[in-house]
Amino acid sequence: MNNLIERSDPRVADLFRRLEKASSLIEKLEVPSRRSFNGQRFVTDRELSERLRVSRRTLQEYRSAGTIPYYLICGKILYKESEIQQYLEDSRRQTIDQQKLV
């Protein structure tokens, strides 16, 4: 009697799916590392795209257009959290002001 489970067994696929889901949940529970310099916190391109719920390509377009401030250090793109927060607040104020004019 062969009790060996093969890779084609649906139970194996289910196990891997569950492990991936568990891994994903653990990553979300981990405290994100904060990159700080001189008391300022920075986020990566990936982190900012997740927070803003936009693609990394969209962030690239914002950078190219000069819409959002960023830093390029040794090929790595970083955003200062305080500058992004200020940009979002300014954009919100502009939107509110435009709505008042309508």
Side-chain angles (χ1 to χ4, degrees):
M1 186 152 118
N2 185 359
N3 290 331
L4 183 64
I5 298 175
E6 295 181 6
R7 186 172 222 160
S8 60
D9 190 312
R11 295 175 291 179
V12 173
D14 184 55
L15 173 64
F16 280 113
R17 184 184 54 76
R18 289 174 185 245
L19 287 173
E20 278 293 321
K21 186 175 181 179
S23 175
S24 175
L25 290 172
I26 289 170
E27 285 177 14
K28 288 179 182 178
L29 292 175
E30 291 177 349
V31 177
S33 63
R34 295 289 180 174
R35 292 155 190 84
S36 66
F37 179 75
N38 253 2
Q40 292 288 327
R41 293 186 299 186
F42 293 83
V43 294
T44 64
D45 200 48
R46 175 172 285 153
E47 291 168 332
L48 186 59
S49 72
E50 289 173 2
R51 287 184 188 180
L52 297 180
R53 294 188 176 121
V54 298
S55 70
R56 294 174 75 186
R57 174 72 177 130
T58 297
L59 287 179
Q60 181 182 350
E61 290 173 6
Y62 291 165
R63 290 191 309 270
S64 297
T67 305
I68 58 174
Y70 69 96
Y71 300 86
L72 181 60
I73 302 171
C74 296
K76 186 159 186 92
I77 295 168
L78 296 174
Y79 304 89
K80 192 184 292 187
E81 280 187 339
S82 61
E83 291 177 344
I84 297 300
Q85 185 63 37
Q86 186 63 49
Y87 168 76
L88 293 173
E89 289 172 11
D90 292 347
S91 296
R92 182 176 178 270
R93 271 191 228 109
Q94 287 175 358
T95 302
I96 291 170
D97 290 344
Q98 288 174 352
Q99 288 175 348
K100 287 179 182 177
L101 294 175
V102 175

